[in-house]
């Protein structure tokens, strides 16, 4: 099992290391993909009883769901220097 370390984490945050499955999606499709991954991660965290991690993932699930439903606007991060 690989872990996110060093350059890989940095590349993922910048968007350079996007998984193949999410590369050619529009914004809503990409957000739906992220939501699905979060739901899967939440199930793993719950099964392993990683309570705090499950809580944080549930907050991300709520945010992604709200944006997809149009309840909350998308707020893009400013570009990194």
């Amino acid at each position: 099992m690989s872990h996110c370390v060093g350059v890989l984490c940095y590349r993922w945050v910048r968007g350079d290391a996007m998984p193949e499955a999410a590369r050619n999606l529009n914004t809503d499709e990409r957000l739906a993909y992220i939501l699905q991954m979060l739901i899967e991660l939440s199930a793993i965290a719950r099964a392993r009883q990683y309570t705090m991690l499950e809580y944080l993932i549930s907050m991300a699930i709520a945010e992604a769901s709200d944006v997809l439903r149009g309840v909350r606007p998308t707020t893009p991060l400013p570009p990194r220097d």
Side-chain angles (χ1 to χ4, degrees):
M1 180 172 166
S2 64
H3 299 295
C4 181
V5 293
V7 174
L8 182 58
C9 281
Y10 177 70
R11 288 182 63 213
W12 178 256
V13 169
R14 283 189 4 221
D16 297 347
M18 186 178 301
E20 189 65 34
R23 284 185 198 274
N24 298 318
L25 302 176
N26 68 38
T27 302
D28 284 348
E29 291 170 333
R30 189 170 293 153
L31 189 55
Y33 175 80
I34 291 169
L35 180 58
Q36 183 59 43
M37 296 297 101
L38 287 168
I39 291 168
E40 291 179 28
L41 288 171
S42 178
I44 294 168
R46 185 178 316 108
R48 297 294 182 181
Q49 298 179 340
Y50 297 141
T51 309
M52 185 58 163
L53 187 55
E54 182 187 358
Y55 170 75
L56 294 171
I57 293 170
S58 73
M59 293 295 98
I61 288 170
E63 178 71 16
S65 295
D66 285 354
V67 172
L68 271 175
R69 291 182 295 133
V71 175
R72 187 183 319 244
T74 303
T75 310
L77 295 173
R80 292 180 177 231
D81 293 332

